[in-house]
Amino acid sequence: MTRWRGGGGSDRPITLAPAPRRGDVLNVKKLINDAGTVVPDALRGLAAAHPQLRVDLENRIVLRASGPRPGKVGLVSGGGSGHEPLHGGFVGYGMLDAACPGEVFTSPVPDQVVQASTAVDGGAGVLHVVKNYTGDVLNFRMAAELCAEEGVEVASVLVDDDVAVRDSLHTAGRRGTGATLFVEKVAGALAETGAPLAEVTRVAREVVGRSRSFGVALSACTVPAAGGPSFDLGETEAEFGVGIHGEPGRSREAVRDARGLVSVALDAICADMPVSGDVLVLLNGMGATPLIELHIAFAEVVGQLAGRGARVARSLVGNYVTSLDMQGFSVTVCRLTEELTRLWDAPVETPALRWGR
Amino acid sequence: MTRWRGGGGSDRPITLAPAPRRGDVLNVKKLINDAGTVVPDALRGLAAAHPQLRVDLENRIVLRASGPRPGKVGLVSGGGSGHEPLHGGFVGYGMLDAACPGEVFTSPVPDQVVQASTAVDGGAGVLHVVKNYTGDVLNFRMAAELCAEEGVEVASVLVDDDVAVRDSLHTAGRRGTGATLFVEKVAGALAETGAPLAEVTRVAREVVGRSRSFGVALSACTVPAAGGPSFDLGETEAEFGVGIHGEPGRSREAVRDARGLVSVALDAICADMPVSGDVLVLLNGMGATPLIELHIAFAEVVGQLAGRGARVARSLVGNYVTSLDMQGFSVTVCRLTEELTRLWDAPVETPALRWGR
């Protein structure tokens, strides 16, 4: 395998977290063996739990065991680990063909993406679904160039749905968060029909254009190799507009009840994109928020969106785009069309999302 | 609706947690509106998220929207809230017909169970799946008697899979935990085939007899109405054999790596029940443990069971039988038979478990 070639002279992947070292002492209370082997250890568990996946442990690629289907556009995504089930849990029929997990909160290297793209290419080209973080953008761009050299046609869609901040830590422009799941599901469904790369890319971009997100943290997350929380929150504080790596949001304010927190999120989303008609909503947990609380927040979202003239026609509630052990939630709203609704409803069979086949 | 009749002269349901009062100040950092309305608020969200369910908010019963099927045995379970997705998330084709959520960590009242049983009876009788806690046992027993008076035939299966302790806080005998999911899935699958109540009861009891569990807490959980953690754990301590309400386990010891914690759990399970051949494993998160850590622990389970002569033939990894915001995990092992494997593999379509239909 060709090694990481670096971007702009760097010989290290761009990272949002300390580099893990094998043999680091266990200085955080986590269910891990070693802060230096979190990703490969977890990939072994993912492989054991889901025989319908093929997990290439050496190259750190999660693939469908069934291999590429001739004539089908391949979908490849990836990004730092720590957001599970994103992306490996979304590999399967009707969604991704491959996922490339980087180290925790660290971009995958271009070679992972090249290998994944080559492996899933069924002759109809490959779509890269890229969350808008500088490292991901650079590495996927380099991978796309290398793919072109190897004769694999690649298109890319950049997901930048998080309205909280522009030009955040490690990001130029808006960050990519919950809408990534929508893009992967909808574009994945269209790809299964045999649609050409241009069409799959078009619908992926349409989902991005119609989706907005906002997150709230009630606690920080702890990167295993860092050994301590990524930021400090007071006993009664919440971070409004937090990023999925614990990046700062818009403000740090006194925590409110679910009603108030949801209202802040919907205000931010609706100020950026007028919301009406039928919408798809992801009420997402950050990783350590129990389902009973997510259901409480979701009831608020449905009621408050109704008050704003929108109907939650489709939804998903749970921990899908997580930030390790962060407590909190995010809301993602996508304004539906008939086509997007149909593609959302289409059968999907992945470890984390499964219906209707 | 007939009101709660009390057990042994009490006029209050038996509870493992402080009674919530509407209007309690929000003195914990949780995604809730009011410590007094956690359960109804969450049920509203569950209903909004899953139109295939019918949620009777007044009586607090979660039902299949499709109603009872004539000639099919009805499956009813229930227990304190705070363990989501158990039980409401397991209502649907191939699993439960109804769930009765009590207040947080508090048994449902007999009238809930009676109403649920009456609602799901398709003329072939109803099986109650009861976790072994004194309150649940008493209230389900009373409900069964009332059902008999109303002409509904009821059988019960008591789940007591947790090998950690005998005669724990609020329990005579062993506690019921993760095996409840196995019982609901397997008995639910058999019920769909039109099997009679005696057969469905037999297979449910067989699952209990062949299943054992053990849990480890890395942090305590906080009951909203209590406002503080249910117990204190030191910075480097874990509770070995913890109960799903934070009840004490066997010992409080220094935390170990995933390998060591899994080894403690499997030692306890295998000391109680010789494990070999094909097994079904639930690697369950307690609610606040991220999936990446659960996968690490699951890889350990698979490897260590192989070393003990058992093969993980079927598995489930995720937060299924939770304890609010507790960090930690439990392992449940069920020794499979051909029949149990077939029933486990049968189609299921519920909010939290879904495959193969």
Side-chain angles (χ1 to χ4, degrees):
Chain A
M1 166 185 177
T2 330
R3 292 307 315 163
W4 158 247
R5 299 156 203 236
S10 163
D11 64 346
R12 284 271 309 280
I14 290 162
T15 176
L16 292 164
R21 290 162 309 184
R22 183 181 277 267
D24 273 359
V25 291
L26 195 63
N27 56 357
V28 286
K29 203 195 259 186
K30 282 182 177 288
L31 191 53
I32 63 176
N33 284 324
D34 185 320
T37 60
V38 164
V39 173
D41 288 355
L43 286 177
R44 262 190 296 278
L46 180 74
H50 300 289
Q52 73 275 31
L53 299 179
R54 181 165 74 80
V55 180
D56 176 344
L57 290 169
E58 191 195 332
N59 298 310
R60 298 196 184 178
I61 307 173
V62 182
L63 300 141
R64 303 189 195 183
S66 55
R69 209 176 76 213
K72 186 186 105 55
V73 167
L75 255 76
V76 174
S77 192
S81 293
H83 306 301
E84 291 69 23
L86 187 81
H87 298 268
F90 299 141
V91 173
Y93 181 86
M95 222 161 160
L96 294 179
D97 292 274
C100 304
E103 281 295 335
V104 171
F105 292 179
T106 302
S107 304
V109 296
D111 280 326
Q112 276 176 283
V113 180
V114 172
Q115 295 210 354
S117 304
T118 310
V120 306
D121 184 27
V126 174
L127 179 66
H128 289 173
V129 180
V130 186
K131 301 196 298 302
N132 190 30
Y133 299 96
T134 305
D136 290 14
V137 171
L138 289 177
N139 291 4
F140 271 92
R141 187 180 300 155
M142 185 172 305
E145 287 165 14
L146 293 168
C147 284
E149 288 173 19
E150 300 194 17
V152 177
E153 188 186 2
V154 168
S156 291
V157 57
L158 198 67
V159 186
D160 63 346
D161 52 312
D162 184 351
V163 302
V165 290
R166 284 207 160 268
D167 301 333
S168 161
L169 197 62
H170 300 286
T171 322
R174 292 199 307 221
R175 302 176 297 221
T177 59
T180 315
L181 186 160
F182 293 170
V183 171
E184 292 175 1
K185 170 68 185 80
V186 166
L190 188 59
E192 295 294 348
T193 68
L197 182 58
E199 268 298 285
V200 176
T201 307
R202 173 198 59 79
V203 86
R205 293 199 177 128
E206 189 173 354
V207 173
V208 174
R210 302 178 77 91
S211 299
R212 299 290 188 279
S213 297
F214 191 89
V216 176
L218 301 185
S219 81
C221 55
T222 295
V223 175
S230 52
F231 57 98
D232 290 314
L233 264 184
E235 281 284 307
T236 59
E237 283 180 334
E239 180 76 28
F240 287 11
V242 72
I244 57 172
H245 312 93
E247 306 98 311
R250 289 182 174 181
S251 59
R252 188 163 297 181
E253 298 184 28
V255 70
R256 308 180 188 178
D257 60 10
R259 192 171 294 122
L261 295 176
V262 164
S263 171
V264 168
L266 293 180
D267 279 347
I269 288 169
C270 296
D272 196 272
M273 174 183 77
V275 173
S276 63
D278 280 4
V279 295
L280 162 64
V281 166
L282 168 64
L283 191 293
N284 176 61
M286 295 297 202
T289 299
L291 193 55
I292 190 169
E293 298 184 28
L294 299 180
H295 279 139
I296 291 173
F298 181 64
E300 285 301 326
V301 169
V302 173
Q304 294 187 25
L305 279 177
R308 294 168 192 253
R311 184 179 78 100
V312 179
R314 298 290 187 277
S315 64
L316 204 55
V317 181
N319 289 286
Y320 290 103
V321 181
T322 62
S323 306
L324 294 170
D325 55 352
M326 190 188 282
Q327 290 179 341
F329 72 101
S330 61
V331 186
T332 303
V333 177
C334 174
R335 292 179 301 121
L336 285 167
T337 63
E338 264 183 45
E339 181 190 31
L340 297 188
T341 306
R342 186 167 38 77
L343 293 169
W344 178 258
D345 288 345
V348 61
E349 195 169 325
T350 70
L353 223 60
R354 218 185 251 250
W355 58 68
R357 200 182 185 184
Chain B
M1 165 187 173
T2 330
R3 294 305 316 162
W4 157 247
R5 298 159 205 232
S10 162
D11 64 345
R12 285 271 308 279
I14 290 162
T15 177
L16 291 164
R21 290 160 308 182
R22 182 182 279 268
D24 273 359
V25 292
L26 195 63
N27 57 358
V28 286
K29 202 196 259 188
K30 281 180 177 290
L31 190 55
I32 63 175
N33 284 322
D34 186 319
T37 60
V38 163
V39 173
D41 288 355
L43 286 177
R44 263 191 296 279
L46 180 73
H50 301 289
Q52 73 275 30
L53 299 179
R54 182 165 74 80
V55 180
D56 176 344
L57 290 169
E58 192 194 333
N59 298 310
R60 299 196 184 176
I61 307 173
V62 181
L63 301 142
R64 301 189 195 183
S66 55
R69 209 177 76 213
K72 186 186 104 57
V73 167
L75 254 76
V76 174
S77 192
S81 293
H83 307 300
E84 291 69 21
L86 185 83
H87 298 271
F90 299 140
V91 173
Y93 180 85
M95 222 163 159
L96 294 179
D97 292 273
C100 305
E103 281 296 335
V104 173
F105 292 177
T106 302
S107 303
V109 297
D111 280 326
Q112 277 175 281
V113 181
V114 173
Q115 294 210 356
S117 304
T118 311
V120 306
D121 183 27
V126 175
L127 178 66
H128 288 173
V129 180
V130 186
K131 299 196 298 301
N132 190 31
Y133 299 96
T134 306
D136 290 16
V137 171
L138 288 176
N139 291 5
F140 270 93
R141 186 180 300 154
M142 188 173 302
E145 288 165 12
L146 294 167
C147 283
E149 287 173 20
E150 299 192 17
V152 177
E153 189 186 1
V154 168
S156 291
V157 58
L158 198 66
V159 186
D160 63 346
D161 53 313
D162 184 350
V163 301
V165 291
R166 285 208 159 268
D167 302 333
S168 160
L169 198 63
H170 300 287
T171 322
R174 292 200 305 223
R175 302 175 298 218
T177 60
T180 316
L181 187 161
F182 294 170
V183 171
E184 292 175 3
K185 169 68 185 78
V186 166
L190 187 61
E192 295 294 347
T193 68
L197 181 57
E199 269 298 283
V200 177
T201 307
R202 173 197 59 78
V203 85
R205 293 199 176 129
E206 189 173 352
V207 173
V208 174
R210 303 178 76 90
S211 301
R212 298 291 188 278
S213 296
F214 191 88
V216 176
L218 300 185
S219 80
C221 55
T222 295
V223 174
S230 51
F231 57 97
D232 291 313
L233 263 185
E235 282 284 309
T236 59
E237 282 179 335
E239 180 76 27
F240 288 11
V242 71
I244 58 172
H245 311 93
E247 305 99 312
R250 290 184 175 181
S251 59
R252 188 164 297 181
E253 298 184 27
V255 71
R256 308 180 188 177
D257 61 10
R259 190 170 296 123
L261 295 176
V262 163
S263 171
V264 168
L266 292 181
D267 279 348
I269 287 169
C270 296
D272 196 90
M273 175 183 75
V275 172
S276 63
D278 281 4
V279 295
L280 162 64
V281 166
L282 169 64
L283 192 292
N284 176 60
M286 294 297 202
T289 300
L291 193 54
I292 190 170
E293 297 183 29
L294 299 180
H295 279 139
I296 291 173
F298 181 64
E300 285 301 326
V301 169
V302 172
Q304 294 186 25
L305 279 176
R308 293 168 193 255
R311 185 179 78 102
V312 179
R314 297 291 186 277
S315 64
L316 205 55
V317 181
N319 288 286
Y320 290 103
V321 181
T322 62
S323 306
L324 294 169
D325 54 354
M326 190 189 282
Q327 291 177 342
F329 73 102
S330 61
V331 185
T332 303
V333 176
C334 174
R335 290 181 301 121
L336 285 168
T337 62
E338 264 182 44
E339 181 190 30
L340 298 188
T341 306
R342 186 168 37 80
L343 293 169
W344 177 258
D345 287 344
V348 61
E349 195 170 326
T350 70
L353 223 58
R354 215 184 252 248
W355 59 69
R357 200 184 183 181

